[in-house]
Amino acid sequence: MPKRTDIKRIMIIGSGPIVIGQACEFDYSGSQACKALKEDGYYIILVNSNPATIMTDPEMADRIYLEPLVPEVVAKIVERERPDALLPTLGGQTALNITVALEEMDVLKKYGVEVIGANYNAIKKAEDRLLFKKAASSIGIKVPDSGVAYKLTEATEIAKNIGFPVIIRPSFTLGGTGGSVAYNIEEFKEFADTGLKMSPVNEILIEQSVLGWKEYELEVMRDRKGNAVIICSVENLDPMGVHTGDSITVAPVQTLTDREYQRMRIYAIRIMEEIGVETGGSNVQFAVNQENGEMVIIEMNPRVSRSSALASKATGFPIAKIAAKLAVGYTLDEIPNDITKKTLACFEPAIDYCVVKIPKFNFEKFSMANPYLTISMKSVGEVMAIGRTFKEALNKALRSLEEKFSGYEDIMLSLETPEGIRTPNPLRLFYIKRGLDKNMSIEEISALSRIDKWFLYNLKELVDYEKIMKKYKGRKIPAHILRKAKEYGFSDRHIARVTGRKDELEIKKLREIYGINPDYKLVDTCAGEFESYTPYYYSTYK
């Protein structure tokens, strides 16, 4: 079906100031949406309190309000501008919460404003922990044993019935704000009280612990005809217990069987339909028990998210742009893929490379902050790298952190090795390297960290290859050794350090003599099946 002509003026709510869990990725998504809707001739009214964004550039919208993002102020803008529709799914949790508030204040009904993308009921069912649990259970998707509380006394009873440890998840918060894990009743009372105060609706979910289970996320797009596609599958290297924004993540998933992936895919599409997300993108999170394959759904966001921005860059599929077009009536089989110029948006992206995201932390600037990672997000940014393999992408991402890492190398560490591996922290990867250097077994490290052995074997291959390179201190490095090192993602500087060279230029010159130079491949969404016109590439030696 073509775009809607019964709406002319569309209001978009931005995400406001950059905070942990909600930052420039929403500027990226919102800007994409504004461009797409303006191209289709819609009059765009943008509300965003942050002037330091591309989204609030005068060319992005027809009317821009740099006003506080609170329901009372947005209500006055609605009264003044009289938009035909409100698109709340591109401004993070802030936009969703304001939309819910405007609906409950009867502002939208009073001025005849239609909520498009995800309506009030869908937002409530996805964000309200009790309603989400009922929705998932009603269609046969398992959820962790849990209960919802509005008072500390209620919460305490629920926790006692479930048994410790329990996870506390406040409703309608961003980045896991107020979330925590309690191992005893004393901790629980403190954390539950904090969670109730953090939730704008004073509601918390007390949930059976699935700490140590593997965590996955699917980015899903759906149109008003019910067509749905999976844009990207993402696997967390860290197990459950670390917020996905603080975990190293890998796309596509690496450790699921095809049967498990297909089941997860079906569940993601079913829950999106049940929640009532009419159009657009959502991310759905799952946990899988490593011991027996049991799968449960954790949560979903009925909007584009941080992960959506990552998935867009990883696959080349413009999620926010397509979500905006779906919201105004187009269907997936009507929207052309700008990259191939032959396929449509209903084609699921296929990638023939590996993407690794590593979060970035600034604990050194916050002396009072606890540097250990929990289900409440603490990262202030992230880097992403693309390679032909996990090993190559990981090495490239580590160098991108601007922490003076040459890659997966030895660095100064303060904790004892077992403690550094057991405790989720920003440097756990390097504690694992130290453990492997000290001949700790994969089984020992897996038992301590609960990280899947597939990832640990890949890390061990990097550590073992570094030992091979060290044998060439003071000796000429053969071409096959150097080529394999580059295929594994080792930088010239890292190779120079472990082989005792003066600097990386020596390795670069040797590479040139051997003819070992990078190749550049397209990020094309279709694994090379169609000619593509992507404007960006990644380098690789494989």
Side-chain angles (χ1 to χ4, degrees):
M1 58 185 73
K3 71 173 185 179
R4 292 178 59 175
T5 56
D6 58 327
I7 56 175
K8 308 287 186 186
R9 299 164 66 84
I10 300 175
M11 175 180 278
I12 295 177
I13 302 175
S15 60
I18 292 174
V19 296
I20 289 177
Q22 181 166 278
C24 53
E25 62 273 1
F26 289 110
D27 183 31
Y28 167 81
S29 297
S31 299
Q32 268 197 10
C34 287
K35 282 182 180 179
L37 295 177
K38 282 200 74 178
E39 284 171 5
D40 275 328
Y42 292 103
Y43 186 93
I44 305 302
I45 304 152
L46 173 65
V47 187
N48 195 344
S49 62
N50 187 356
T53 63
I54 296 172
M55 192 180 185
T56 50
D57 187 282
E59 295 179 358
M60 286 293 171
D62 298 285
R63 297 279 290 194
I64 298 174
Y65 286 86
L66 293 169
E67 299 289 347
L69 288 178
V70 294
E72 294 76 16
V73 172
V74 179
K76 289 180 180 178
I77 297 170
V78 170
E79 180 183 5
R80 178 176 178 178
E81 290 291 340
R82 304 296 174 94
D84 300 309
L86 170 62
L87 181 55
T89 56
L90 300 158
Q93 194 65 44
T94 298
L96 289 188
N97 290 351
I98 289 175
T99 301
V100 168
L102 293 176
E103 189 76 57
E104 292 175 349
M105 292 161 62
D106 284 331
V107 170
L108 302 180
K109 183 179 179 181
K110 179 179 179 181
Y111 297 108
V113 182
E114 179 186 353
V115 179
I116 56 177
N119 61 29
Y120 170 77
N121 290 330
I123 296 170
K124 287 288 285 186
K125 281 178 78 173
E127 298 293 327
D128 184 293
R129 300 291 183 177
L130 180 59
L131 294 177
F132 180 76
K133 177 185 175 183
K134 288 179 178 178
S137 299
S138 72
I139 54 174
I141 304 178
K142 291 185 70 174
V143 293
D145 187 18
S146 61
V148 171
Y150 300 88
K151 296 179 181 178
L152 187 57
T153 51
E154 294 174 343
T156 304
E157 283 304 308
I158 293 168
K160 287 178 179 177
N161 290 333
I162 293 175
F164 293 98
V166 295
I167 295 173
I168 299 159
R169 300 183 188 275
S171 295
F172 288 91
T173 64
L174 177 77
T177 300
S180 54
V181 181
Y183 292 87
N184 54 57
I185 194 66
E186 291 76 20
E187 281 185 346
F188 177 79
K189 288 181 178 179
E190 178 186 347
F191 296 155
D193 185 54
T194 300
L196 286 166
K197 290 174 181 174
M198 291 284 189
S199 169
V201 293
N202 302 113
E203 176 187 278
I204 57 172
L205 179 78
I206 300 96
E207 187 176 77
Q208 164 201 352
S209 171
V210 287
L211 298 179
W213 291 28
K214 296 193 289 184
E215 185 172 359
Y216 300 90
E217 189 170 338
L218 298 185
E219 291 294 325
V220 193
M221 296 289 288
R222 185 174 189 266
D223 66 24
R224 61 180 63 250
K225 283 184 179 177
N227 301 313
V229 291
I230 307 299
I231 304 305
C232 190
S233 61
V234 181
E235 177 169 0
N236 286 17
L237 185 144
D238 293 292
M240 289 292 296
V242 176
H243 189 279
T244 187
D246 287 350
S247 176
I248 296 171
T249 57
V250 185
V253 295
Q254 303 292 316
T255 68
L256 281 179
T257 65
D258 183 62
R259 185 183 293 271
E260 287 174 320
Y261 171 72
Q262 294 302 333
R263 182 153 58 106
M264 191 176 287
R265 183 183 184 281
I266 291 167
Y267 285 169
I269 294 171
R270 275 189 196 166
I271 193 66
M272 209 168 165
E273 184 176 348
E274 175 63 26
I275 292 297
V277 178
E278 188 178 38
T279 70
S282 295
N283 63 306
V284 188
Q285 290 168 252
F286 296 89
V288 176
N289 190 331
Q290 296 190 48
E291 308 302 325
N292 56 21
E294 181 184 357
M295 184 183 297
V296 296
I297 192 167
I298 301 299
E299 66 178 4
M300 72 168 284
N301 289 306
R303 56 174 172 82
V304 299
S305 63
R306 298 174 56 260
S307 301
S308 304
L310 177 73
S312 288
K313 297 183 183 77
T315 63
F317 189 101
I319 290 176
K321 175 183 177 179
I322 304 299
K325 286 186 173 290
L326 294 176
V328 294
Y330 291 102
T331 53
L332 287 164
D333 56 350
E334 293 176 327
I335 304 171
N337 184 322
D338 294 338
I339 290 172
T340 65
K341 301 190 185 299
K342 292 179 182 178
T343 61
L344 300 169
C346 57
F347 279 55
E348 289 194 351
I351 59 178
D352 53 0
Y353 47 80
C354 183
V355 180
V356 172
K357 175 217 84 177
I358 301 180
K360 191 170 175 60
F361 301 89
N362 272 350
F363 286 120
E364 67 279 2
K365 294 182 180 178
F366 304 98
S367 57
M368 301 298 289
N370 184 335
Y372 299 117
L373 308 180
T374 66
I375 64 170
S376 184
M377 186 175 158
K378 296 178 179 179
S379 66
V380 295
E382 59 196 27
V383 299
M384 185 194 92
I386 302 177
R388 299 296 286 178
T389 64
F390 167 71
K391 290 188 282 287
E392 182 186 16
L394 177 71
N395 258 323
K396 289 170 73 174
L398 286 169
R399 294 198 292 276
S400 301
L401 285 170
E402 298 179 345
E403 298 286 351
K404 298 181 180 178
F405 300 145
S406 296
Y408 196 41
E409 61 182 352
D410 296 323
I411 64 170
M412 293 292 293
L413 299 167
S414 58
L415 298 175
E416 292 296 318
T417 303
E419 182 63 19
I421 294 173
R422 181 188 299 108
T423 308
N425 66 86
L427 297 177
R428 178 150 69 170
L429 214 58
F430 293 95
Y431 284 102
I432 291 172
K433 183 180 189 304
R434 191 163 71 180
L436 291 169
D437 278 329
K438 293 181 177 180
N439 296 317
M440 286 181 70
S441 70
I442 296 293
E443 287 69 24
E444 285 179 274
I445 296 172
S446 179
L448 285 170
S449 66
R450 304 293 292 168
I451 292 173
D452 191 275
K453 291 177 184 177
W454 185 90
F455 291 112
L456 297 179
Y457 277 114
N458 272 270
L459 297 178
K460 187 176 188 304
E461 286 180 1
L462 289 175
V463 170
D464 289 347
Y465 204 78
E466 188 183 66
K467 291 175 182 176
I468 290 172
M469 290 192 294
K470 285 179 179 177
K471 294 177 182 178
Y472 293 92
K473 277 191 175 182
R475 298 167 53 197
K476 185 178 180 180
I477 308 171
H480 72 280
I481 294 293
L482 187 53
R483 181 175 293 280
K484 190 75 170 179
K486 297 308 292 182
E487 289 178 359
Y488 274 12
F490 287 103
S491 66
D492 290 349
R493 182 185 298 177
H494 192 169
I495 297 169
R497 282 181 181 176
V498 299
T499 59
R501 267 55 182 184
K502 184 175 67 173
D503 57 36
E504 61 194 280
L505 288 177
E506 283 192 46
I507 301 299
K508 183 174 183 291
K509 288 175 182 176
L510 186 58
R511 275 199 300 104
E512 290 171 348
I513 292 170
Y514 288 147
I516 302 172
N517 296 306
D519 192 11
Y520 294 89
K521 299 185 182 294
L522 282 167
V523 175
D524 63 7
T525 81
C526 60
E529 188 175 351
F530 298 93
E531 183 180 0
S532 64
Y533 304 87
T534 321
Y536 59 103
Y537 298 73
Y538 67 95
S539 65
T540 182
Y541 286 83
K542 195 170 181 66

